[in-house]
Every structure is written in C-alpha cells, then in structure tokens.
Amino acid sequence: MKSSTETQKLVVVTGASAGMGASAARELARRGFHVLAGVRRDRDADALRATGVEPVMLDITESEQVAALAARVADDPRALHALVNNAGVQVNAPVEVLPLEEWRRVFDVNLFGHIAVTQALLPALLRAGGRVINISSIGGKYAMATYGAYAGAKFALEAVSDSLRREVSPLGVQVVVVEPGGIRTEFATRGIATANDLAARMTPEQHERYGGLVRANNALMASGTASGLTADAAARVVAKAVTVRRPRTRYTAGRDAALIMRLGPLLSDRALDRVLAANLRRHFPKEAAVRPAGAAPSRG
C-alpha cells in the first residue's frame, strides 16, 4: 500500500538489471517509492523502466558513474530513504586456480564498489535519516569449497556492514544485511558458466586435483538454485528491510539460508566440514574420487 510520505522518498537499488535487483526495484516502486535502478545496458533499462522505476546507468566500479548517481540524488528534492547495495558477480574456483586479476575483480564488484556507492550517498542518507541495505549471502558467513573469492568478499561486506552500523546508527542511519540462500535467477547460471570457463584453463595437474570438485559444485549450485526462493519472494525480504520501522540488523532469505544460519553456530569447524562434504559428495561425477578436495579424510 502506498503512503503519501513514501511517494516523496527515493530508493537506490544497484544491480537492478535482472533477478533479485529488478524484482526489488519493482516491489519498492509498487510500495510507492521512486526507485533509481542501476543498470549497465540500454536494453536492461528499457525492460525495467516503469512507473516509479527510473533506470540509471551504473557500473559501481566506475567512479564517474557513481559520482553521476550521487549528483542525480543531490539534485532531487525527495529524501533518499534507502540504498540497496545489490550488484554482484559470482566466481567459483579453487584458491590455487583462480587468477589474481579475478580475485581483484570479484572484490571490486562485491565489496569496493558497494563501499564507493555508500560513501557517495551517505551525505544524503544522513540528511534523511535513511538506511543502507547490503545484500550479502550465506556465503558471507560460511565459505564452501571453490567459494574463496566470492565468500571472501561477502565476509568482508558483513564486517564493513557491522562497522558502518556502529558508526552511523548514532547519527540516525540504519544498516541492514540481507543474506539470501539459493535464488531462482540467472545469477547462479552465469556463475556456473564462469566456473566452467576457469576450469577449462586449469593445468592437467590442477584438473586432476579439482576437476571433480568443480563439477560437483556446479551440480550442487544448479540444484540449490532450482529449489530456491523466487526473485520476487527474495525482493519482499529486501522490501521489508527497507520499509519496516525498526529493522533487524540481519535478515535471511530462503529456508536454506535460515537453516544454515541456525545450524552453523552449533557445529565445530570439522563437523561443519563433514556436513558440507557429505552434501557435496552426492553430486560428484561417478568417475571422480568420492572424497571432495579439501574434505577431511576419514579415520578408521
């Protein structure tokens, strides 16, 4: 339901070209906000443009585009109610295999880009008493095999969110983290394609060590995505974080995320290793070794 006050407020959503970001932009517009929706291509802008949704060209790793967004917000008489940091890339590969330039790209998009946008828009958020919604992941709490770069950036985003919350909550700005599990979007599909491309560049020795692991992880990712939350359902969690009067510091999105967040703290590192390895083992190709790389060997 729209309120007269919400129609006077802006929300910025980054990474709104498709998936959860696009759904969040539409859901927030439906609730009466004017949404500045960050996209990187004209065709995505054309598909997203609607009442209450204004696409803006935004690559969060490009300082000129971040500055243009900040200027657009500053020129608008409406208060900035929320920034939803949703842009991201998923890159999965063993630590040994992933080139350093890919590590840097993942951190640029999944961490430093969010910091850049947050820094640029914090003055407007401070004036309005708004809030920052950082889209993290269950990977921001628990890192599975091949998730080193992605989880590393998300772990860092969780830490930055905690630090930022403690800095700006006394100033009237709330900081909220949303931790999705599997979401039925193209995000994981693109991640699988990237993983396969990186696997194709492995040396024969690396392929012997990690080939089965990569294939098993891709199968697990596809399975989790197929049974995951819809983008629209995830967007409603984001909208709750944006609109509820007293938001929690963290929200999960999806049953798998809620389960892992409850189960994880109850297990030791070794016990959690065994749980994750057993879940992954079901997806290993028949010709590959049964024990996933990195899993603790059984002791007789």
Side-chain angles (χ1 to χ4, degrees):
M1 179 182 297
K2 297 180 182 180
S3 73
S4 59
T5 56
E6 285 178 345
T7 58
Q8 303 304 309
K9 294 180 180 179
L10 295 175
V11 173
V12 170
V13 179
T14 70
S17 294
M20 191 168 69
S23 291
R26 295 186 183 103
E27 177 65 20
L28 290 164
R30 188 185 69 79
R31 297 188 185 210
F33 293 99
H34 185 81
V35 181
L36 301 179
V39 298
R40 295 199 301 159
R41 296 173 296 191
D42 289 336
R43 67 173 180 268
D44 295 326
D46 293 340
L48 190 61
R49 187 176 289 108
T51 301
V53 180
E54 177 186 337
V56 294
M57 288 297 161
L58 181 63
D59 180 334
I60 64 173
T61 67
E62 294 291 337
S63 59
E64 295 85 358
Q65 294 188 17
V66 173
L69 171 66
R72 167 67 184 83
V73 170
D75 289 343
D76 199 297
R78 292 167 289 200
L80 179 60
H81 176 71
L83 162 63
V84 180
N85 283 315
N86 173 74
V89 294
Q90 183 164 350
V91 176
N92 291 86
V95 170
E96 178 189 355
V97 170
L98 189 64
L100 275 177
E101 61 268 23
E102 280 296 299
W103 283 87
R104 294 188 177 102
R105 183 175 76 91
V106 171
F107 273 72
D108 275 345
V109 178
N110 291 354
L111 177 65
F112 300 129
H114 297 319
I115 294 171
V117 176
T118 301
Q119 288 178 335
L121 296 185
L122 258 179
L125 291 167
L126 287 163
R127 286 193 297 270
R131 60 188 65 175
V132 178
I133 315 297
N134 285 333
I135 309 302
S136 180
S137 166
I138 55 174
K141 291 292 189 181
Y142 302 100
M144 297 186 295
T146 79
Y147 278 76
Y150 179 79
K154 293 296 187 181
F155 266 65
L157 183 62
E158 296 265 352
V160 170
S161 299
D162 285 341
S163 186
L164 180 65
R165 185 182 70 251
R166 290 159 186 155
E167 292 164 0
V168 299
S169 62
L171 305 176
V173 172
Q174 301 177 84
V175 179
V176 182
V177 176
V178 176
E179 297 162 332
I183 307 294
R184 277 180 269 168
T185 69
E186 292 300 309
F187 188 72
T189 303
R190 291 193 297 270
I192 290 171
T194 301
N196 285 332
D197 179 62
L198 290 165
R201 303 183 218 168
M202 291 192 297
T203 66
E205 293 80 7
Q206 290 171 341
H207 193 273
E208 183 177 356
R209 286 194 285 272
Y210 305 118
L213 173 64
V214 170
R215 291 168 62 186
N217 187 70
N218 285 347
L220 177 60
M221 200 186 320
S223 174
T225 299
S227 61
L229 209 60
T230 66
D232 288 346
R236 289 192 288 273
V237 177
V238 175
K240 181 178 181 179
V242 169
T243 58
V244 68
R245 189 172 69 87
R246 297 189 57 162
R248 303 200 303 262
T249 58
R250 281 174 169 80
Y251 292 88
T252 57
R255 287 181 297 179
D256 56 343
L259 177 62
I260 291 173
M261 292 302 182
R262 284 196 295 265
L263 179 64
L266 303 177
L267 300 175
S268 69
D269 287 348
R270 295 299 187 192
L272 186 58
D273 287 350
R274 288 192 290 271
V275 169
L276 294 175
N279 189 40
L280 190 58
R281 188 176 295 115
R282 299 181 296 112
H283 298 277
F284 257 65
K286 300 300 183 184
E287 67 275 14
V290 173
R291 179 171 66 87
S298 60
R299 296 184 184 274

